[in-house]
Amino acid sequence: MIDTILVVQGQEFKSVKRGLSCSLSVPPKLLPLPIGVTSVSRYLHQWQEKHDFSSQQPSTVLVMGLCGSLSSQYQPGDVVIYNECVLFDDSQLLRQKCNEVLTSKLQTHLQEKASLVRGLTSDRLIYKAEEKQLLGKNTGAEVVDMEGFAILNFFAKLSVSVAMVRVISDDCHHDLPNITSAITSSGNLLPLPLAIAMFRQPLAALQLIRGSSKGLKVLQEVTSCLFSD
């Protein structure tokens, strides 16, 4: 029984919300996250303080959303379940594992629709294809996101079970537009700087739009598959 779903705010949040069945007698709590490691850590600590986890702590958390591929094996629209998440910190590769029991149940439920992977969490946007491929080789990770490790690290201290299901939105062979300037320090996406960055790199922008659209559609379908009576 998953009681809480965490997903990045914006289109990813909307896709998961649409995928949740209205017929569920007890729907899980759906929380929108900011973008990025630091922003997510700050958000979760504020959430903990606001809701007094000593009496209302979540028991089973599912992280959902999109991610980028670091391997030629995975393409936009592919569904992945994280086994663990890694993070570079002062040249060290830190690890946090997802809950094995919950992960196994998700695998059984999704069957051949999803692959088990190692995820890399980056503190910045990885938009160059060459860097993606290099990170994949150096870390053994197949996918990259900007929040996963921070979430696992936070809940590990509270002994809360966490699993992670994401959908690939971009491959490792094409550059993405550099939208770093559109992401604020608080983890929000600014529409105008985003539009400017996309306009400056139209081919990369088209690649991102196509992959994201496909990924968001599959994300909604996966949510429906997991949370339907």
Side-chain angles (χ1 to χ4, degrees):
M1 183 66 179
I2 292 164
D3 58 41
T4 307
I5 301 175
L6 302 181
V7 58
V8 168
Q9 61 195 359
Q11 295 304 314
E12 293 171 67
F13 181 86
K14 290 176 183 176
S15 289
V16 171
K17 190 174 183 179
R18 282 194 295 266
L20 282 174
S21 172
C22 296
S23 63
L24 284 173
S25 52
V26 185
K29 183 179 291 184
L30 185 58
L31 291 177
L33 298 175
I35 302 167
V37 175
T38 305
S39 300
V40 163
S41 296
R42 188 188 307 121
Y43 172 89
L44 290 174
H45 280 101
Q46 290 172 348
W47 180 47
Q48 180 184 16
E49 291 170 4
K50 184 178 178 181
H51 290 87
D52 182 19
F53 274 14
S54 59
S55 59
Q56 299 182 53
Q57 180 172 303
S59 60
T60 313
V61 172
L62 178 63
V63 182
M64 302 190 76
L66 301 178
C67 62
S69 174
L70 301 179
S71 164
S72 56
Q73 187 178 347
Y74 299 103
Q75 302 298 319
D78 288 347
V79 182
V80 294
I81 302 173
Y82 282 33
N83 175 42
E84 64 177 358
C85 213
V86 296
L87 174 79
F88 269 125
D89 185 52
D90 294 330
S91 299
Q92 282 186 311
L93 195 63
L94 306 178
R95 293 184 183 184
Q96 281 288 358
K97 289 190 74 68
C98 295
N99 181 269
E100 290 182 9
V101 175
L102 188 54
T103 298
S104 179
K105 286 181 178 178
L106 288 168
Q107 274 187 287
T108 301
H109 195 86
L110 293 173
Q111 297 174 357
E112 74 281 353
K113 295 177 185 176
S115 302
L116 195 65
V117 299
R118 168 189 279 188
L120 167 70
T121 295
S122 172
D123 59 358
R124 59 188 175 83
L125 180 71
I126 309 297
Y127 59 92
K128 286 287 187 182
E130 186 179 2
E131 186 178 8
K132 282 188 177 188
Q133 294 166 26
L134 190 61
L135 281 170
K137 289 176 184 176
N138 291 343
T139 64
E142 291 97 343
V143 300
V144 61
D145 64 52
M146 294 178 68
E147 303 84 23
F149 185 91
I151 297 168
L152 288 172
N153 195 49
F154 174 81
F155 284 110
K157 297 168 185 174
L158 301 172
S159 299
V160 173
S161 300
V162 180
M164 210 170 299
V165 175
R166 289 184 182 264
V167 181
I168 306 289
S169 62
D170 51 276
D171 63 32
C172 67
H173 299 296
H174 297 87
D175 290 347
L176 297 175
N178 182 6
I179 61 169
T180 304
S181 60
I183 303 172
T184 69
S185 58
S186 58
N188 296 311
L189 201 59
L190 299 175
L192 184 57
L194 175 63
I196 293 170
M198 301 279 268
F199 180 75
R200 285 175 177 166
Q201 297 168 278
L203 292 178
L206 183 61
Q207 195 74 28
L208 176 62
I209 291 167
R210 282 177 177 168
S212 296
S213 296
K214 189 171 186 178
L216 290 168
K217 182 183 177 184
V218 175
L219 182 61
Q220 182 178 335
E221 291 169 357
V222 169
T223 306
S224 296
C225 179
L226 290 174
F227 297 96
S228 58
D229 288 339

